[in-house]
Amino acid sequence: MRILIYGAGNIGCLYASRLAQAGQDVAILARGDRISALRDHGITLEDGVSGERTTTAIPVVDCLEPADAYDLVLVVLPKPALAEVLPILAANEHTPSVMFFGNNAAGPGLMVSALGADRVLLGFPGAAAIPHDGAIRYVITSRQEQPTTIGELDGKRSERIAAIASAFERAGFPADICANMDAWLKTHVAKILPTGGALFYAGGQVEQLASNREALQLMVRAMREGLEVLRANNIPITPSNHRVLLWLPESLTVFLMKKMFASKTMAIKVGHAQQAMDEWRLLGDEFRALSADTGVAMPAMERLLAANAQ
């Protein structure tokens, strides 16, 4: 499969490197100083658990031309950057599949308007990555926790989505094909907005959040508010096991969250939050739009969104 990774941030480099190691024909699109750095030094990954390092040379391009042909363009960019790249993607009509790989609470409407429904796929990484000592330190989340999750807009298990899932699996990313990626992404935002807000509310460090009961309580309450907003909009909570947050006793949920944030890999999993302030603000606005006509109050969510804005 010929793949272009559109975006050379930590997650883009992680997927580019591992897909190339697994035998895919991969190029990565970068800009500015990042181009020469990648061309000169390749991509060095560091396993966040074992500490093992690998360096992979990846072809680097600085633009997507209208005549370029790929089997898949994987767009790994912060949500605020999408408006700028949609015209570029639309002008390239030789790539049949464009997967938008990241947070989205507003739905795929803008992507579909630009590219047409047949070309648009949605997905989300099952991994986290941060820069560390000249490398990208990463963890790949398990199938039980959060696999790389992808899907067609109509939810069908098409031949192309199965092929993409297989490519991810061969690269070491547990993959799941979701029948309702739009609902999955909105459910994810209902969880990560409170998580990011609680992190900032507690002082910005994972260790601070793990020991701050007030921030953890606000996070749990905000997650419940977010899930209630989804239910009020008839958006199925996806995956359905996340519904447990609506009925599990708050004290028990706070205890479980405290343990989760005390884990060794949590600093990697939420380490990008400090660099994603513009995205948090945009996602907050998108989620407020979802809640606007529901009548669901979100006092905890609003307190944490205010922490995000500081």
Side-chain angles (χ1 to χ4, degrees):
M1 186 179 296
R2 189 161 190 255
I3 303 172
L4 175 67
I5 307 296
Y6 201 120
N10 298 318
I11 289 293
C13 286
L14 170 61
Y15 274 79
S17 181
R18 291 191 63 107
L19 285 164
Q21 291 171 12
Q24 303 297 332
D25 181 3
V26 179
I28 189 165
L29 191 151
R31 293 180 177 177
D33 295 341
R34 194 79 176 125
I35 297 172
S36 58
L38 291 172
R39 285 175 176 164
D40 292 345
H41 305 294
I43 298 171
T44 298
L45 301 180
E46 180 185 297
D47 189 306
V49 177
S50 70
E52 178 185 359
R53 286 195 170 202
T54 61
T55 299
T56 306
I58 303 286
V60 182
V61 301
D62 60 4
C63 63
L64 175 66
E65 298 287 358
D68 291 341
Y70 296 92
D71 299 307
L72 170 69
V73 172
L74 187 64
V75 182
V76 193
L77 293 170
K79 183 70 186 294
L82 289 186
E84 177 186 346
V85 304
L86 283 175
I88 299 169
L89 294 164
N92 176 271
E93 298 180 352
H94 297 277
T95 298
S97 304
V98 180
M99 179 174 286
F100 294 89
F101 209 52
N103 288 306
N104 185 356
L110 288 177
M111 297 89 149
V112 170
S113 294
L115 306 181
D118 291 344
R119 297 178 65 198
V120 174
L121 303 169
L122 300 176
F124 199 87
I130 58 173
H132 175 74
D133 193 20
I136 295 171
R137 177 179 281 179
Y138 72 94
V139 290
I140 296 174
T141 46
S142 68
R143 195 177 303 279
Q144 292 71 32
E145 182 180 356
Q146 182 188 297
T148 295
T149 308
I150 61 176
E152 294 274 3
L153 294 184
D154 63 7
K156 292 180 180 177
R157 190 182 180 90
S158 65
E159 186 175 319
R160 68 171 172 177
I161 207 71
I164 295 168
S166 178
F168 286 141
E169 290 276 1
R170 292 197 299 274
F173 299 103
D176 181 60
I177 297 172
C178 179
N180 191 339
M181 271 306 302
D182 182 47
W184 191 101
L185 290 166
K186 287 171 178 169
T187 303
H188 185 72
V189 172
K191 290 174 55 192
I192 60 100
L193 275 180
T195 302
L199 182 68
F200 300 129
Y201 188 91
Q205 301 299 318
V206 172
E207 297 82 4
Q208 292 173 305
L209 178 54
S211 62
N212 189 321
R213 183 171 180 82
E214 180 189 8
L216 290 170
Q217 285 177 324
L218 279 172
M219 182 180 73
V220 169
R221 292 170 187 173
M223 286 180 179
R224 289 180 172 174
E225 292 166 2
L227 296 181
E228 290 291 0
V229 166
L230 298 185
R231 294 211 302 184
N233 279 288
N234 295 314
I235 298 167
I237 296 169
T238 309
S240 59
N241 60 6
H242 287 32
R243 291 199 296 261
V244 69
L245 292 169
L246 290 170
W247 57 262
L248 202 66
E250 181 180 287
S251 59
L252 177 56
T253 310
V254 168
F255 172 75
L256 294 173
M257 293 294 182
K258 180 181 178 69
K259 286 190 65 176
M260 181 181 74
F261 279 96
S263 70
K264 291 194 301 182
T265 59
M266 203 63 193
I268 300 175
K269 292 178 182 177
V270 300
H272 67 289
Q274 297 284 14
Q275 288 75 47
M277 296 302 294
D278 289 344
E279 180 167 69
W280 293 124
R281 294 186 186 101
L282 177 57
L283 292 172
D285 290 342
E286 290 179 354
F287 206 82
R288 287 188 181 103
L290 282 176
S291 70
D293 298 323
T294 65
V296 176
M298 298 197 304
M301 181 76 84
E302 288 297 345
R303 285 184 69 183
L304 295 181
L305 288 175
N308 277 349
Q310 294 175 357

